[in-house]
Amino acid sequence: MWDYSEKVKDHFFNPKNAGAVAGANAIGEVGSISCGDALRLTLKVNEDTEVIEDAGFQTFGCGSAIASSSVLTEIIKGMTLDQALKVTNQDIAAELDGLPPEKMHCSVMGREALQAAVANYRGEEWKDDHEEGALICKCFGIDAAMIEEMVWANKLRTVEDVTNFTKAGGGCASCHEDIEGILEKVLKERGESFDPNAAPVAKPAPVVAEKGPMTNLQRIKKIEEVIMSFRPQLMADGGDVELVEVVDKTAYVNMTGACNGCQMSAMTIAGIQQRLIEVMGEFIKVVPASQMPKLVNIQEAGHA
């Protein structure tokens, strides 16, 4: 598991300003429950001074999403709208004494909710930019503009970085090549060269103690446990999921019953992958078993 700061734990176990603000005159909603994270930010703004007098949040997501939303409301109370708009996702993470890199997208969601709320107050139409550029990650609806912005703002340099900050590439992984193209373009503009083997820029902080690497048997057992936790809900809807094979850090699964061929199966697989990453503290890819022979053969050819 990841090491969280004491501030993250405090805001998770004792969230500040949870719930909707009574008499709110600014509302910002971002994310999607189907993608695993959603945030509704409500503000009470003084109409004469544009000072945020109260702020509240309603979050569907992990502990980091709750903590990020909680600390955001604490940061912006007492600020004018223009001052609040200058708050960045790095500010949110810093106020929590850091977030694991795999959870930085939670701070990004908070920043977007704030922008949406301010636009709502001012009678403007807020766009998250996810529809303005070419759609890169279909699993989570992330487009090129969003990825480019995060690469610039956070000095990202690997696909793993992009996934940590935006979730793009965290589903079926078919967009990794396009993400690499964006990284290559932005890094070139920054005067740098893209290295697909570079280490991620962000590291968890603080690290208390390093744990030994997980054995393949331990990894398989953990993957089975997570998949088993998804089965009751899927079976209630007439579907199911089963683990077929684990190769290195890639898990191959079969979607059966009503889940076989369902348009939401990609979302389910993405949800399983996200849960695995959270539980195991390492990047685990979940892939439909129908892709297994092709990928395994490629791996075997590479070792030949």
Side-chain angles (χ1 to χ4, degrees), residues 112-185:
E112 290 189 332
L114 176 59
Q115 291 174 329
V118 174
N120 173 255
Y121 174 81
R122 292 176 171 171
E124 302 168 353
E125 182 181 358
W126 180 77
K127 293 184 179 181
D128 59 10
D129 291 334
H130 300 347
E131 297 179 359
E132 293 189 355
L135 188 62
I136 301 297
C137 178
K138 295 181 180 179
C139 293
F140 294 107
I142 307 299
D143 77 340
M146 172 66 165
I147 296 172
E148 284 191 29
E149 179 185 352
M150 287 298 103
V151 172
W152 271 109
N154 299 282
K155 296 182 172 61
L156 310 183
R157 59 175 182 241
T158 69
V159 173
E160 185 177 344
D161 286 331
V162 172
T163 300
N164 292 338
F165 277 73
T166 69
K167 278 195 171 184
C172 67
S174 63
C175 59
H176 282 196
E177 185 174 346
D178 290 333
I179 294 175
E180 288 185 351
I182 293 174
L183 284 164
E184 187 172 3
K185 170 180 174 291

Side-chain angles (χ1 to χ4, degrees), residues 200-233:
V201 296
K203 295 294 181 184
V207 175
V208 176
E210 293 188 6
K211 301 175 182 178
M214 190 176 294
T215 67
N216 199 48
L217 181 59
Q218 291 172 327
R219 184 176 290 113
I220 291 172
K221 286 183 177 180
K222 281 290 184 183
I223 292 172
E224 287 179 335
E225 290 174 7
V226 170
I227 289 177
M228 284 295 293
S229 71
F230 276 80
R231 293 189 65 203
Q233 182 177 351

Side-chain angles (χ1 to χ4, degrees), residues 7 36 47 71 89 131 172 174 208 218 221 257 272 274 277 288:
K7 283 191 176 181
E47 296 183 0
V71 79
N89 71 289
E131 297 179 359
C172 67
S174 63
V208 176
Q218 291 172 327
K221 286 183 177 180
I272 293 173
Q274 182 68 18
I277 293 172

Side-chain angles (χ1 to χ4, degrees), residues 30 36 43 52 76 102 109 113 134 149 151 182 197 210 215 227 263-264 295:
V30 296
L43 309 177
I52 299 172
I76 62 177
E102 295 87 352
M109 185 171 66
E149 179 185 352
V151 172
I182 293 174
N197 299 314
E210 293 188 6
T215 67
I227 289 177
Q263 293 182 348
M264 295 298 293
L295 292 176

Side-chain angles (χ1 to χ4, degrees), residues 3-13 96-97 205-206 208:
D3 293 302
Y4 291 101
S5 72
E6 291 303 315
K7 283 191 176 181
V8 171
K9 294 175 184 177
D10 180 52
H11 279 277
F12 172 63
F13 289 113
L96 290 168
D97 289 339
V208 176

